[in-house]
Amino acid sequence: MDNLMRKLPIGIQTFEDIRRKNYLYVDKTALVWRMANLGKPYFLSRPRRFGKSLLLSTFKAYFEGKKELFEGLAIEKMETEWNEYPVLHLDLNAEKYDKPEKLKEILSSHLTQWEIQYGKGMDENTLSRRFEGIIRRAYEQTGSQVAVLIDEYDKPLLQAISQPKLLDDYRQTLKAFYGVLKSADPYLHFVFLTGVTKFAQVSVFSDLNQLNDISLDYSYATLCGITREELAATFEPEIATFGQRNQQSPEEVVAAMERNYDGYHFHPNGEGVFNPFSVLNAFSKLEISNYWFQTGTPTFLVELLQKSEYDLRTLLDGIEAPASSFTEYRMNANNPIPLIYQSGYLTIKDYDKEFQNYLLAFPNDEVRYGFINFLVPYYTPMKNNDQGFYIGKFVQELRSGDYESFLTRLEAFFADIPYELNDRTERHYQVIFYLVFKLMGQFTEAEVRSTRGRADAVVKTPKYIYVFEFKLKGTAEEALKQIDEKGYLIPYQSDQREVIKIGVEFSPESRNLSRWLVER
């Protein structure tokens, strides 16, 4: 088939549509069969736009016995019976949950549709009683146990996360509703809940203690997302077309995709996966861009970061954390890491078996620079539309060796900080330095550190290597002395480029650069 006629399933979340209308499909059905035949109640946490809805739609078609949809796929050789089961598919993704009644309305709407099919009991006057009655009658009327599929179980909770009263109301509603899945167990053949976040206090994970959380299981690490092998096998024509459009070899195309969209790991030893939404969009539009990050603004994450006063510098460089601290989000804990990880902005990069600590970091460049660019307006005077101007000028000046203009521009940058942002802690200004240099890393080799074992920032350009040390409580002379005494220049002694040392002092009174000294 001509690759220009191949249909990419961007925004298509229905398995039956993909198969009947000849969209490309990355075959995950071997894992679908494994789950369906080796267990019963499951929970899976994955970031948004990672294919959770399509996965549940695939299970729906499988449990409805639609064998014809699976022709040519891995499951065709694995399944021999193709039994049909009643399926209750609840999708909480589409609604805006801004009032207590919104959640109850959408739950009631789904229940009403199922009651049209299976009937309603006279004494079923609550959401949970109606749900339990439907499950029982579906079993009794069909003679088969029921498959329950719940998509984005946590969407109401995430939307209400900054409104404690509304959040508690949603939590109580869902506690009773999801609790039915335990009491109705004899009537259930399969239960699968998906979401972004595992909320520790919701009873689906306390009362429903038999639920198998496979979010970090090695066997299901590639259940959502696209592996490197799947990318090469499924999208060979798209890789060729992308390469022709961008003057790149197939190997260079895959390397660019890896830098920008790969790197998600859902088990320390599991295979990494690409972000499927960004991959599909890049092949469709024939260019690299921040497709996934542009689809949603994680404002609730920034609110959590600001409330917790979390040191962003440790977050941006990668952090170590035990599994217990990032796999469950506790609303009363001063820890934003679980939501940041589960939302897809951090991923597993390494694991220390001895101490059972995970290293979490940004998965790829799309997330790294998308997240930093999003944070900048909350910490600096830069708005989204002028970040490119500032950063571009900063980089150009250092490339040309004009460090005086760079420092003068940085001084003017701090002078533009609004008054309401000025009354901040020392850490706030350290974070601003940090964000500026991190953004420069998109265009030049810029490293910025939060530890004292290395210089505050190092910028490498084709002709120069700049070693910066900033003193918020000290002098420019002390900054230069520290560069020498701590041996910050040692890693660059064999480099052919000119090394320039810059010591900068920052005045707490003026909240700006006060003076700097340069040694070449």
Side-chain angles (χ1 to χ4, degrees), residues 43-57:
F43 169 74
L44 177 71
S45 167
R46 285 294 183 267
R48 60 188 169 82
R49 299 281 187 172
F50 250 76
K52 298 189 298 296
S53 296
L54 174 58
L55 179 63
L56 260 66
S57 178

PDB file of all heavy atoms in Angstrom, residues 43-57:
ATOM      1  N   PHE A  43      -5.514  -3.059  37.842  1.00  0.00           N
ATOM      2  CA  PHE A  43      -5.432  -1.599  37.758  1.00  0.00           C
ATOM      3  C   PHE A  43      -4.158  -1.235  37.011  1.00  0.00           C
ATOM      4  O   PHE A  43      -3.096  -1.840  37.229  1.00  0.00           O
ATOM      5  CB  PHE A  43      -5.405  -0.939  39.134  1.00  0.00           C
ATOM      6  CG  PHE A  43      -5.051   0.537  39.078  1.00  0.00           C
ATOM      7  CD1 PHE A  43      -5.968   1.461  38.615  1.00  0.00           C
ATOM      8  CD2 PHE A  43      -3.789   0.985  39.435  1.00  0.00           C
ATOM      9  CE1 PHE A  43      -5.646   2.806  38.520  1.00  0.00           C
ATOM     10  CE2 PHE A  43      -3.455   2.330  39.346  1.00  0.00           C
ATOM     11  CZ  PHE A  43      -4.387   3.248  38.893  1.00  0.00           C
ATOM     12  N   LEU A  44      -4.259  -0.227  36.124  1.00  0.00           N
ATOM     13  CA  LEU A  44      -3.101   0.245  35.371  1.00  0.00           C
ATOM     14  C   LEU A  44      -3.062   1.764  35.396  1.00  0.00           C
ATOM     15  O   LEU A  44      -4.023   2.428  35.016  1.00  0.00           O
ATOM     16  CB  LEU A  44      -3.157  -0.229  33.916  1.00  0.00           C
ATOM     17  CG  LEU A  44      -2.022   0.274  33.017  1.00  0.00           C
ATOM     18  CD1 LEU A  44      -0.704  -0.404  33.388  1.00  0.00           C
ATOM     19  CD2 LEU A  44      -2.346   0.038  31.539  1.00  0.00           C
ATOM     20  N   SER A  45      -1.934   2.307  35.838  1.00  0.00           N
ATOM     21  CA  SER A  45      -1.694   3.747  35.786  1.00  0.00           C
ATOM     22  C   SER A  45      -0.758   4.041  34.621  1.00  0.00           C
ATOM     23  O   SER A  45       0.326   3.456  34.523  1.00  0.00           O
ATOM     24  CB  SER A  45      -1.054   4.224  37.099  1.00  0.00           C
ATOM     25  OG  SER A  45      -0.543   5.536  36.956  1.00  0.00           O
ATOM     26  N   ARG A  46      -1.184   4.947  33.744  1.00  0.00           N
ATOM     27  CA  ARG A  46      -0.348   5.422  32.649  1.00  0.00           C
ATOM     28  C   ARG A  46      -0.681   6.888  32.371  1.00  0.00           C
ATOM     29  O   ARG A  46      -1.804   7.346  32.633  1.00  0.00           O
ATOM     30  CB  ARG A  46      -0.601   4.604  31.377  1.00  0.00           C
ATOM     31  CG  ARG A  46       0.016   3.205  31.386  1.00  0.00           C
ATOM     32  CD  ARG A  46       1.529   3.243  31.396  1.00  0.00           C
ATOM     33  NE  ARG A  46       2.114   1.907  31.327  1.00  0.00           N
ATOM     34  CZ  ARG A  46       2.458   1.175  32.380  1.00  0.00           C
ATOM     35  NH1 ARG A  46       2.237   1.641  33.595  1.00  0.00           N
ATOM     36  NH2 ARG A  46       3.028  -0.002  32.240  1.00  0.00           N
ATOM     37  N   PRO A  47       0.283   7.639  31.795  1.00  0.00           N
ATOM     38  CA  PRO A  47       0.020   9.050  31.485  1.00  0.00           C
ATOM     39  C   PRO A  47      -1.098   9.209  30.464  1.00  0.00           C
ATOM     40  O   PRO A  47      -1.480   8.255  29.776  1.00  0.00           O
ATOM     41  CB  PRO A  47       1.360   9.537  30.908  1.00  0.00           C
ATOM     42  CG  PRO A  47       2.380   8.557  31.401  1.00  0.00           C
ATOM     43  CD  PRO A  47       1.667   7.240  31.494  1.00  0.00           C
ATOM     44  N   ARG A  48      -1.620  10.423  30.358  1.00  0.00           N
ATOM     45  CA  ARG A  48      -2.657  10.715  29.375  1.00  0.00           C
ATOM     46  C   ARG A  48      -2.096  10.509  27.968  1.00  0.00           C
ATOM     47  O   ARG A  48      -0.906  10.620  27.730  1.00  0.00           O
ATOM     48  CB  ARG A  48      -3.156  12.158  29.544  1.00  0.00           C
ATOM     49  CG  ARG A  48      -2.067  13.185  29.376  1.00  0.00           C
ATOM     50  CD  ARG A  48      -2.510  14.597  29.730  1.00  0.00           C
ATOM     51  NE  ARG A  48      -1.362  15.495  29.789  1.00  0.00           N
ATOM     52  CZ  ARG A  48      -0.818  16.062  28.732  1.00  0.00           C
ATOM     53  NH1 ARG A  48      -1.318  15.840  27.533  1.00  0.00           N
ATOM     54  NH2 ARG A  48       0.220  16.864  28.861  1.00  0.00           N
ATOM     55  N   ARG A  49      -2.969  10.238  27.038  1.00  0.00           N
ATOM     56  CA  ARG A  49      -2.640  10.058  25.624  1.00  0.00           C
ATOM     57  C   ARG A  49      -1.666   8.901  25.399  1.00  0.00           C
ATOM     58  O   ARG A  49      -0.855   8.946  24.456  1.00  0.00           O
ATOM     59  CB  ARG A  49      -2.034  11.354  25.042  1.00  0.00           C
ATOM     60  CG  ARG A  49      -2.949  12.552  25.084  1.00  0.00           C
ATOM     61  CD  ARG A  49      -3.969  12.500  23.970  1.00  0.00           C
ATOM     62  NE  ARG A  49      -4.765  13.704  23.879  1.00  0.00           N
ATOM     63  CZ  ARG A  49      -5.620  13.970  22.916  1.00  0.00           C
ATOM     64  NH1 ARG A  49      -5.792  13.098  21.952  1.00  0.00           N
ATOM     65  NH2 ARG A  49      -6.329  15.067  22.907  1.00  0.00           N
ATOM     66  N   PHE A  50      -1.701   7.906  26.249  1.00  0.00           N
ATOM     67  CA  PHE A  50      -0.799   6.765  26.088  1.00  0.00           C
ATOM     68  C   PHE A  50      -1.527   5.516  25.600  1.00  0.00           C
ATOM     69  O   PHE A  50      -0.935   4.436  25.567  1.00  0.00           O
ATOM     70  CB  PHE A  50      -0.055   6.469  27.389  1.00  0.00           C
ATOM     71  CG  PHE A  50       1.403   6.804  27.319  1.00  0.00           C
ATOM     72  CD1 PHE A  50       1.831   8.119  27.382  1.00  0.00           C
ATOM     73  CD2 PHE A  50       2.360   5.811  27.181  1.00  0.00           C
ATOM     74  CE1 PHE A  50       3.166   8.432  27.301  1.00  0.00           C
ATOM     75  CE2 PHE A  50       3.706   6.107  27.096  1.00  0.00           C
ATOM     76  CZ  PHE A  50       4.118   7.424  27.157  1.00  0.00           C
ATOM     77  N   GLY A  51      -2.790   5.631  25.251  1.00  0.00           N
ATOM     78  CA  GLY A  51      -3.500   4.493  24.679  1.00  0.00           C
ATOM     79  C   GLY A  51      -4.312   3.688  25.656  1.00  0.00           C
ATOM     80  O   GLY A  51      -4.721   2.557  25.344  1.00  0.00           O
ATOM     81  N   LYS A  52      -4.607   4.239  26.834  1.00  0.00           N
ATOM     82  CA  LYS A  52      -5.416   3.493  27.810  1.00  0.00           C
ATOM     83  C   LYS A  52      -6.823   3.252  27.284  1.00  0.00           C
ATOM     84  O   LYS A  52      -7.379   2.158  27.432  1.00  0.00           O
ATOM     85  CB  LYS A  52      -5.474   4.264  29.144  1.00  0.00           C
ATOM     86  CG  LYS A  52      -4.133   4.465  29.810  1.00  0.00           C
ATOM     87  CD  LYS A  52      -4.269   5.032  31.211  1.00  0.00           C
ATOM     88  CE  LYS A  52      -4.923   6.408  31.269  1.00  0.00           C
ATOM     89  NZ  LYS A  52      -4.134   7.452  30.586  1.00  0.00           N
ATOM     90  N   SER A  53      -7.415   4.271  26.671  1.00  0.00           N
ATOM     91  CA  SER A  53      -8.786   4.124  26.163  1.00  0.00           C
ATOM     92  C   SER A  53      -8.850   3.095  25.041  1.00  0.00           C
ATOM     93  O   SER A  53      -9.779   2.281  24.968  1.00  0.00           O
ATOM     94  CB  SER A  53      -9.323   5.474  25.679  1.00  0.00           C
ATOM     95  OG  SER A  53      -9.418   6.402  26.744  1.00  0.00           O
ATOM     96  N   LEU A  54      -7.876   3.111  24.147  1.00  0.00           N
ATOM     97  CA  LEU A  54      -7.827   2.120  23.075  1.00  0.00           C
ATOM     98  C   LEU A  54      -7.648   0.720  23.655  1.00  0.00           C
ATOM     99  O   LEU A  54      -8.256  -0.244  23.178  1.00  0.00           O
ATOM    100  CB  LEU A  54      -6.686   2.446  22.112  1.00  0.00           C
ATOM    101  CG  LEU A  54      -6.428   1.419  21.009  1.00  0.00           C
ATOM    102  CD1 LEU A  54      -7.678   1.196  20.156  1.00  0.00           C
ATOM    103  CD2 LEU A  54      -5.247   1.850  20.144  1.00  0.00           C
ATOM    104  N   LEU A  55      -6.841   0.612  24.688  1.00  0.00           N
ATOM    105  CA  LEU A  55      -6.627  -0.690  25.322  1.00  0.00           C
ATOM    106  C   LEU A  55      -7.935  -1.246  25.885  1.00  0.00           C
ATOM    107  O   LEU A  55      -8.268  -2.422  25.669  1.00  0.00           O
ATOM    108  CB  LEU A  55      -5.581  -0.556  26.430  1.00  0.00           C
ATOM    109  CG  LEU A  55      -5.261  -1.825  27.216  1.00  0.00           C
ATOM    110  CD1 LEU A  55      -4.650  -2.891  26.316  1.00  0.00           C
ATOM    111  CD2 LEU A  55      -4.315  -1.491  28.372  1.00  0.00           C
ATOM    112  N   LEU A  56      -8.682  -0.412  26.603  1.00  0.00           N
ATOM    113  CA  LEU A  56      -9.957  -0.875  27.145  1.00  0.00           C
ATOM    114  C   LEU A  56     -10.942  -1.213  26.033  1.00  0.00           C
ATOM    115  O   LEU A  56     -11.724  -2.171  26.144  1.00  0.00           O
ATOM    116  CB  LEU A  56     -10.553   0.180  28.083  1.00  0.00           C
ATOM    117  CG  LEU A  56     -10.330  -0.111  29.581  1.00  0.00           C
ATOM    118  CD1 LEU A  56      -8.859  -0.027  29.921  1.00  0.00           C
ATOM    119  CD2 LEU A  56     -11.120   0.845  30.451  1.00  0.00           C
ATOM    120  N   SER A  57     -10.909  -0.454  24.948  1.00  0.00           N
ATOM    121  CA  SER A  57     -11.775  -0.750  23.806  1.00  0.00           C
ATOM    122  C   SER A  57     -11.411  -2.095  23.177  1.00  0.00           C
ATOM    123  O   SER A  57     -12.286  -2.829  22.702  1.00  0.00           O
ATOM    124  CB  SER A  57     -11.660   0.367  22.766  1.00  0.00           C
ATOM    125  OG  SER A  57     -12.439   0.100  21.626  1.00  0.00           O
TER     126      SER A  57
END
